[in-house]
Amino acid sequence: MLSNLYGSVSKSNACDTKIHYDEARYVWTIENFSSLEAKGGRFTSLVFPSITNTQVQWELLLWPNFTVHAENDHICFVISLSTASSSFETTEKIFAKTTFSILNEEYKEEYNQTTTVKEFPLPKTVSGPPSGCAKSIKKDEKFRNKFLLNNTLRIRCEVMFSDVKDIIESCSHQRGFLLEVPKCNFFENFVSLFENQELTDVIISANGKDYPAHKTVLAARSPVFLAMFKHNTKENQLNRIDIEDIDEQVVVEMLRYVYTGKCANLEKLAGELLAAADKYDLYRLKMMCANALLLRLSVENAASVLALADMHGVKELKNEVIKFIVSKPTEVLATEGWKSIRSNFVLADEVCLALAQRCTSLSNN
């Protein structure tokens, strides 16, 4: 029994009584959770024992598509008693209180809830019935964005149990059995590399000024740099890249992005950075520049932004600018910017076609 009565009778007829409880702890990491959703049904974790009595074993059951109020948009997990030792000779049931938690990638809690004390009948066979303390969670935006990072779900379960109900109701969970995992400093470390210029092995030169860098970092971020350093190019042999067609300030911001994923002067240098991002195939930076240009889009600069989008192959930006021009055709076509690009017959034809389609749509309505 878990409620062990250790009595020792002395000459004064004194007696000490000790009542014990036990615990079980488990973290279930479920990768590729979406595949479980697609399959549906019920899934079972590995069996896990209690801390002091390995013959008392538990398991977690999971329903990835659980129905609540006729909506199949919840998950449900249940702690179930799998097996129990023969030491439970004088009782048919035990009592347990369970804490369910959902952990993030660093094994910190994003959610936790402790159930009320639940009665568990002792299983008569090796495989216990799928009943026990349950918890369901709605698979809403918070669940997807906070609990289901990288399509991985981490459920932590802690069970405190005894065959004496009162002791479980009166005691609290001894939490914190997982160690603190430090925050990932990946980008902070790269910022340090960028700022301190330690262990550099290549020079990037712009307008006569040199900037030490790291081949591995450049290659990891840019397919163009990767190809440059994989082959017997002049740049790879000399460990030097001379950039003559991009302004020094833009090169610095491009390097800042390569190392940190951020730009300090994006709003000011969006057009020039777009050209640099296109040259070195930095797609995310291209889209960051495209958004910065869209935020500053106006009648006066619409034509020049359209020309940039077309030149550097940013189709999404180009489509949005054409929509803007079509909404204000008289104003945009009267600007100096439009006059400077109207010799680009292909681009002008695209704008004219969009205008014609809009006029047709308006006339039909």
Side-chain angles (χ1 to χ4, degrees):
M1 293 177 60
L2 288 173
S3 57
N4 297 307
L5 303 182
Y6 297 97
S8 58
V9 181
S10 65
K11 291 183 178 179
S12 59
N13 293 322
C15 180
D16 296 326
T17 301
K18 296 181 180 179
I19 299 179
H20 293 270
Y21 64 84
D22 203 348
E23 295 178 86
R25 300 164 175 173
Y26 186 67
V27 175
W28 191 9
T29 300
I30 304 169
E31 298 179 347
N32 198 16
F33 179 80
S34 59
S35 66
L36 269 64
E37 289 184 290
K39 292 178 183 178
R42 188 188 83 187
F43 299 88
T44 306
S45 74
L46 297 176
V47 172
F48 54 98
S50 64
I51 293 175
T52 62
N53 187 346
T54 58
Q55 295 183 51
V56 181
Q57 298 183 326
W58 303 81
E59 61 187 0
L60 274 171
L61 311 175
L62 172 71
W63 286 261
N65 302 311
F66 191 69
T67 302
V68 176
H69 302 307
E71 296 290 337
N72 193 27
D73 61 350
H74 284 66
I75 66 165
C76 178
F77 33 90
V78 174
I79 179 70
S80 178
L81 183 61
S82 176
T83 60
S85 69
S86 59
S87 60
F88 290 94
E89 295 176 352
T90 62
T91 184
E92 293 293 323
K93 57 193 174 186
I94 61 174
F95 302 92
K97 180 163 58 176
T98 306
T99 295
F100 292 111
S101 308
I102 296 181
L103 309 177
N104 61 21
E105 291 176 306
E106 297 173 351
Y107 288 86
K108 291 183 179 179
E109 286 187 356
E110 295 288 353
Y111 163 92
N112 81 77
Q113 184 170 356
T114 301
T115 67
T116 58
V117 176
K118 171 76 176 180
E119 179 182 302
F120 286 81
L122 297 186
K124 302 303 181 182
T125 61
V126 172
S127 178
S131 63
C133 296
K135 178 61 185 175
S136 65
I137 298 178
K138 185 176 178 63
K139 295 186 292 185
D140 54 12
E141 185 177 352
K142 178 182 178 182
F143 175 83
R144 300 286 180 189
N145 296 336
K146 201 169 185 180
F147 300 160
L148 198 60
L149 297 176
N150 297 323
N151 201 20
T152 299
L153 183 67
R154 293 179 179 85
I155 303 171
R156 176 168 72 177
C157 177
E158 301 170 76
V159 190
M160 181 178 293
F161 61 97
S162 172
D163 58 352
V164 178
K165 184 177 182 180
D166 291 345
I167 190 173
I168 299 301
E169 288 181 333
S170 62
C171 65
S172 60
H173 259 288
Q174 305 298 315
R175 304 189 52 71
F177 73 91
L178 289 175
L179 302 178
E180 181 74 14
V181 177
K183 178 184 176 183
C184 176
N185 293 323
F186 180 82
F187 277 110
E188 288 85 345
N189 294 336
F190 270 65
V191 170
S192 177
L193 278 177
F194 175 69
E195 293 177 346
N196 298 329
Q197 301 178 347
E198 295 175 343
L199 303 176
T200 57
D201 54 4
V202 65
I203 295 293
I204 293 182
S205 178
N207 294 345
K209 189 160 184 180
D210 293 344
Y211 299 95
H214 305 79
K215 288 184 178 181
T216 52
V217 176
L218 297 175
R221 299 286 276 162
S222 163
V224 175
F225 286 129
L226 175 62
M228 187 183 295
F229 298 136
K230 281 179 67 176
H231 299 93
N232 192 28
T233 62
K234 179 183 72 173
E235 291 84 358
N236 199 19
Q237 289 178 349
L238 299 177
N239 297 323
R240 182 181 182 86
I241 304 170
D242 291 307
I243 301 178
E244 299 176 351
D245 56 345
I246 302 177
D247 185 76
E248 172 195 347
Q249 187 180 8
V250 178
V251 170
V252 171
E253 286 305 316
M254 182 183 73
L255 287 174
R256 189 189 311 278
Y257 168 79
V258 165
Y259 279 84
T260 70
K262 300 176 182 178
C263 291
N265 298 305
L266 180 61
E267 185 174 324
K268 179 181 177 182
L269 300 173
E272 295 89 339
L273 274 169
L274 178 61
D278 185 33
K279 179 177 180 178
Y280 292 103
D281 198 6
L282 300 166
Y283 177 73
R284 181 172 178 270
L285 179 58
K286 283 177 69 172
M287 299 312 294
M288 289 168 61
C289 294
N291 273 331
L293 290 167
L294 275 178
L295 287 173
R296 294 189 302 149
L297 189 63
S298 67
V299 168
E300 291 301 321
N301 69 13
S304 60
V305 173
L306 178 62
L308 272 175
D310 183 60
M311 182 184 302
H312 299 295
V314 190
K315 185 178 180 180
E316 300 87 348
L317 176 60
K318 181 179 175 179
N319 291 340
E320 291 302 318
V321 178
I322 289 177
K323 289 179 186 177
F324 178 83
I325 293 174
V326 167
S327 70
K328 302 177 184 296
T330 305
E331 296 92 329
V332 175
L333 271 59
T335 63
E336 292 298 318
W338 177 257
K339 293 176 185 178
S340 68
I341 70 163
R342 63 186 179 186
S343 58
N344 185 334
F345 299 116
V346 175
L347 198 55
D349 283 348
E350 288 187 59
V351 175
C352 290
L353 178 60
L355 278 169
Q357 290 174 341
R358 181 171 185 266
C359 290
T360 301
S361 176
L362 290 174
S363 62
N364 289 337
N365 292 334

